[in-house]
Amino acid sequence: MPTTTEINLGDVAARHNAYAEDVASERMTLNMGPSHPTTHGVLRLLVELDGDIITKCSPVIGYLHRGDEKIAENMTYNQFVPYTDRLDYIAPLANNVAYAIAVEKLAKLQVPPRCQAIRVICCELARISSHLLGVGVFAMDSGALTVFMYAFTQREKLYSLFEELTGARFTTSYTRIGGVARDLPEGWLGRVNKFCNEVLSVFDEVDQLLSRNKIFLQRTEGIGTITKEDAITYGITGANLRASGIEADLRKDNPYSGYEQYEFDVPIGTKGDCYDRYLVRMEEMRQSVRIVRQAIERMPDGLWYAEDAKKIFVPPKGKVLTSMEELIQNFMIVTEGPQMPSGEVYFEAENPKGALGFFIVSKGGGVPYRMHIKGPSFVTLSILSKMAPGHMLTDMTCILGSLDFVLGECDR
């Protein structure tokens, strides 16, 4: 049996040999994040370097974990709506819609056409807002600060429209199970149409600043390539999947909220690199403007909530204050939650970051028995360990910016 002295000497020898190997290969381990602007939130990357070349990259998540799914199982279906704002907090309006449709699928509830059109406008404006930030930050990460200013100027205009519609700029909580919180403000559609006319010229200016910029091309072309096979294997969705040349869009493949009524194109990349991901998002914003214009032109009259959802949708405030029946209905929905049948449902929507899915298990009553959220950013980050090796450390900035993830829906 070895003595203590022999064991210590052996440890020293092992550490010396490991150090000698590291010095010979010039390998080192570097922490990027979790407090670093490049990582777009509290993401930690454990990077192994050989000189300036990345040999290994492991994303470390969980710094923002809040237990949203377990929270959902301890409150009513309606009470969870504000928590969906905090998933992809860059596109809260789209999160609200995805969750509401999942619960409506459980309740076998159909919302009226006006409600569907309002939701489509909300989702597409959220897509524009999200992609403006994604492209702006990506450009800034690549050294083009001016594009960031252009993008944020337009997002401020969108936030003013969101505030007018929902009463909040950031955490909107606008969609309700069975409808939306309130009808459109007078003249709001006209102001949205005005924004659409103005923002198209900004897209063109951003295109002129970046798309043929020699420095931007050198930093993005051929960098962070995701092949078709890898995109499918890792379950990538959204713009990152389409940039790899795969035509997959839930708005086309599995339409919801009346998307089958609108004409729009699905932009597809060819190489799957950082540059293609930028081009796809730029074109998606133009197509979103196209969808919003059609929704404005076709906006139907009628109610913005399902009139037959008396045990699900809170009645209008005016009726609550003047009718005993509506007052009791409001009291029951607020205290016990909307009464749902037993069953299991899964629904996923084409969110700006990718496919956002909700799996709900109900045993009846006003509270879900189980809920699971499929966050597209969580799936996106999983491919970093495959795509990062072989690139230089400075390329990580562009790769992360091009993937356009958000830690709120990754950690949940």
Side-chain angles (χ1 to χ4, degrees):
M1 182 173 180
T3 64
T4 304
T5 304
E6 289 172 337
I7 292 174
N8 290 339
L9 289 174
D11 290 345
V12 171
R15 286 197 297 269
H16 176 76
N17 292 335
Y19 175 75
E21 290 178 6
D22 285 344
V23 170
S25 64
E26 297 185 1
R27 290 196 178 186
M28 67 174 292
T29 300
L30 182 70
N31 279 295
M32 289 184 65
S35 298
H36 194 284
T38 296
T39 57
H40 296 209
V42 282
L43 170 67
R44 175 187 171 204
L45 296 178
L46 194 59
V47 183
E48 185 183 89
L49 297 172
D50 187 354
D52 263 347
I53 305 299
I54 298 171
T55 57
K56 186 178 180 181
C57 177
S58 302
V60 183
I61 62 173
Y63 294 92
L64 197 60
H65 182 60
R66 297 153 293 171
D68 276 358
E69 292 155 329
K70 189 54 64 177
I71 289 173
E73 296 164 12
N74 291 276
M75 56 176 49
T76 68
Y77 290 94
N78 284 327
Q79 288 172 338
F80 189 66
V81 171
Y83 284 82
T84 63
D85 292 334
R86 277 80 175 171
L87 297 173
D88 177 6
Y89 39 74
I90 309 301
L93 285 167
N95 302 337
N96 296 164
V97 171
Y99 170 68
I101 295 177
V103 181
E104 288 161 5
K105 185 177 179 181
L106 175 65
K108 297 180 175 57
L109 180 65
Q110 291 289 332
V111 296
R114 182 173 180 84
C115 176
Q116 290 188 351
I118 292 173
R119 287 180 175 183
V120 166
I121 292 176
C122 288
C123 287
E124 295 310 313
L125 290 181
R127 188 180 311 277
I128 296 171
S129 175
S130 178
H131 283 355
L132 280 170
L133 177 65
V135 170
V137 172
F138 177 37
M140 184 172 64
D141 288 343
S142 305
L145 182 61
T146 304
V147 174
F148 177 80
M149 299 300 182
Y150 273 71
F152 258 65
T153 299
Q154 299 307 309
R155 287 185 78 243
E156 278 300 309
K157 295 178 182 179
L158 275 175
Y159 275 157
S160 296
L161 292 170
F162 294 162
E163 184 178 17
E164 188 179 357
L165 175 66
T166 70
R169 291 167 60 82
F170 202 60
T171 48
T172 54
S173 303
Y174 177 61
T175 306
R176 296 290 184 271
I177 299 163
V180 292
R182 61 190 65 85
D183 198 7
L184 301 175
E186 185 177 351
W188 188 78
L189 290 178
R191 288 183 283 278
V192 171
N193 195 49
K194 181 174 180 290
F195 166 80
C196 290
N197 294 334
E198 294 173 351
V199 78
L200 284 175
S201 61
V202 177
F203 295 157
D204 293 339
E205 291 185 50
V206 171
D207 187 40
Q208 292 174 4
L209 286 168
L210 282 184
S211 297
R212 288 166 294 282
N213 185 301
K214 186 175 181 180
I215 298 174
F216 184 72
L217 290 172
Q218 288 176 340
R219 295 212 64 184
T220 57
E221 283 191 318
I223 303 298
T225 301
I226 303 176
T227 64
K228 288 184 179 181
E229 294 75 17
D230 285 343
I232 294 172
T233 300
Y234 281 84
I236 306 299
T237 58
N240 295 324
L241 175 66
R242 292 187 282 275
S244 296
I246 299 174
E247 188 173 354
D249 191 314
L250 290 170
R251 297 172 297 173
K252 289 277 193 183
D253 303 334
N254 189 21
Y256 55 93
S257 293
Y259 267 110
E260 65 277 5
Q261 304 171 17
Y262 302 97
E263 294 181 5
F264 63 98
D265 300 321
V266 178
I268 305 296
T270 56
K271 300 176 183 177
D273 56 10
C274 291
Y275 186 67
D276 268 9
R277 290 191 281 275
Y278 152 75
L279 291 178
V280 166
R281 289 190 175 93
M282 287 296 296
E283 184 57 31
E284 279 193 6
M285 287 192 287
R286 292 187 173 95
Q287 295 302 318
S288 291
V289 168
R290 185 179 172 190
I291 294 171
V292 170
R293 283 174 163 172
Q294 292 176 63
I296 292 173
E297 291 174 2
R298 304 175 187 177
M299 179 60 66
D301 296 326
L303 295 174
W304 61 94
Y305 58 90
E307 195 173 17
D308 58 344
K310 291 186 177 181
K311 294 184 178 181
I312 296 175
F313 192 84
V314 175
K317 196 71 172 179
K319 292 184 178 180
V320 172
L321 297 175
T322 56
S323 169
M324 179 57 71
E325 184 181 348
E326 272 76 11
L327 177 62
I328 296 173
Q329 176 190 344
N330 180 80
F331 177 79
M332 297 300 291
I333 292 175
V334 170
T335 56
E336 297 183 1
Q339 299 303 297
M340 297 291 167
S342 299
E344 298 180 6
V345 296
Y346 178 73
F347 174 79
E348 60 182 5
E350 188 65 45
N351 260 37
K353 300 289 190 292
L356 175 65
F358 289 90
F359 175 66
I360 302 173
V361 179
S362 171
K363 288 192 173 182
V367 179
Y369 175 70
R370 286 288 183 269
M371 180 183 291
H372 176 67
I373 303 170
K374 178 200 171 191
S377 294
F378 177 81
V379 180
T380 299
L381 285 176
S382 67
I383 202 171
L384 275 178
S385 58
K386 175 69 183 293
M387 66 188 297
H391 291 87
M392 298 185 72
L393 181 61
T394 51
D395 292 331
M396 279 303 300
T397 304
C398 293
I399 291 173
L400 292 175
S402 72
L403 291 176
D404 190 26
F405 56 88
V406 61
L407 270 298
E409 71 178 13
C410 176
D411 288 350
R412 298 187 298 281

